[in-house]
Amino acid sequence: MAKQLDYHTIREIFTRFHAAEQEPKGELDHVNAYTLVVAVALSAQATDAGVNKATKDLFKIADTPQKMLDLGEEQLIEHIKTIGLYRNKAKNVIKLSRILVEEYDGEVPCSRAALEGLPGVGRKTANVVLNMWWRYPAQAVDTHIFRFGNRSGVCPGKDVVAVERAIEDHIPVDFQLHAHHWMILHGRYVCKARKPLCSTCLIRDLCLFEEKTL
């Protein structure tokens, strides 16, 4: 774990990220808050590309909680069976859809606690939805951010909650809205687990990673 970088270094890092891509986007396809919840819930232990492929036709016929209930669990399974843990995920999608219909009039709630009360929705999923749909600066820490944060010193922490707190405490507020997207994309495509592309990294001179590749 690297030491925590100082304010000025972090500001420069995110200034560069912003210059490279002003409006970073999440890569899960969705058409509304409900389909975003479903997509993120399905993405656990699966790739965004794999989820998008599975939901391409699904969201054309089931883009609301009631439509998903009408579709039913078995038909849902047929759409998502290429995704890992698809049976358990299908059960959770049906359960959360029923809760949304019965307790929230078919609408997705916009508080972290309410979202986390839905089956299959954890803190990371809730933060993704709050950030991407309601543009609240919630920080969804996944494996890419955890790796990048600890390697670089931007947001080191022993667990995801500690990393999330480090993001909120140390990244300047004017970068908070897009912070987790910049870090996810950087971790996914540059600061990769096995072969990080340090030689082409735009923050190489600022990063504290001791095992930089040539």
Side-chain angles (χ1 to χ4, degrees):
M1 182 191 302
K3 66 178 182 180
Q4 177 67 58
L5 287 171
D6 64 80
Y7 173 85
H8 298 291
T9 303
I10 293 175
R11 173 163 282 284
E12 176 60 24
I13 285 172
F14 283 90
T15 297
R16 294 183 190 181
F17 283 159
H18 178 266
E21 187 170 7
Q22 292 188 14
E23 292 282 334
K25 304 293 184 183
E27 297 184 323
L28 284 172
D29 294 337
H30 59 284
V31 296
N32 54 31
Y34 171 70
T35 54
L36 179 57
V37 170
V38 173
V40 181
L42 293 177
S43 71
Q45 299 183 44
T47 65
D48 288 357
V51 172
N52 290 340
K53 184 176 180 181
T55 59
K56 181 179 180 181
D57 292 329
L58 172 65
F59 290 160
K60 291 178 181 178
I61 58 175
D63 60 354
T64 70
Q66 187 58 59
K67 289 179 182 178
M68 190 67 75
L69 293 176
D70 293 341
L71 181 67
E73 186 174 324
E74 291 306 314
Q75 286 302 308
L76 171 57
I77 285 174
E78 287 301 308
H79 282 276
I80 67 170
K81 61 185 180 182
T82 56
I83 300 174
L85 307 175
Y86 65 90
R87 290 192 181 277
N88 188 57
K89 290 178 180 179
K91 290 182 184 298
N92 283 333
V93 168
I94 294 299
K95 288 179 181 178
L96 73 83
S97 299
R98 183 167 292 110
I99 290 173
L100 291 176
V101 168
E102 294 177 353
E103 300 183 19
Y104 296 98
D105 296 322
E107 299 294 326
V108 175
C110 58
S111 80
R112 185 183 288 115
L115 286 166
E116 287 190 66
L118 300 174
V121 176
R123 187 176 183 88
K124 185 185 80 170
T125 299
N127 282 345
V128 170
V129 176
L130 291 173
N131 182 283
M132 290 182 64
W133 192 255
W134 282 286
R135 297 182 68 79
Y136 175 77
Q139 307 301 332
V141 178
D142 70 351
T143 56
H144 300 299
I145 290 179
F146 189 82
R147 179 176 64 253
F148 167 72
N150 279 292
R151 276 180 176 174
S152 66
V154 168
C155 48
K158 293 181 179 180
D159 53 45
V160 294
V161 175
V163 170
E164 183 180 329
R165 175 56 65 85
I167 294 171
E168 294 173 345
D169 288 351
H170 294 282
I171 294 176
V173 294
D174 48 326
F175 294 120
Q176 288 272 337
L177 180 60
H178 296 309
H180 93 272
H181 277 133
W182 279 314
M183 290 188 286
I184 286 173
L185 294 173
H186 193 74
R188 181 176 292 163
Y189 297 113
V190 181
C191 192
K192 299 187 287 187
R194 294 186 178 181
K195 295 182 178 180
L197 306 179
C198 299
S199 62
T200 58
C201 176
L202 56 80
I203 63 165
R204 177 186 174 90
D205 58 316
L206 304 173
C207 173
L208 296 179
F209 185 37
E210 295 180 352
E211 300 173 32
K212 290 189 180 82
T213 60
L214 298 176

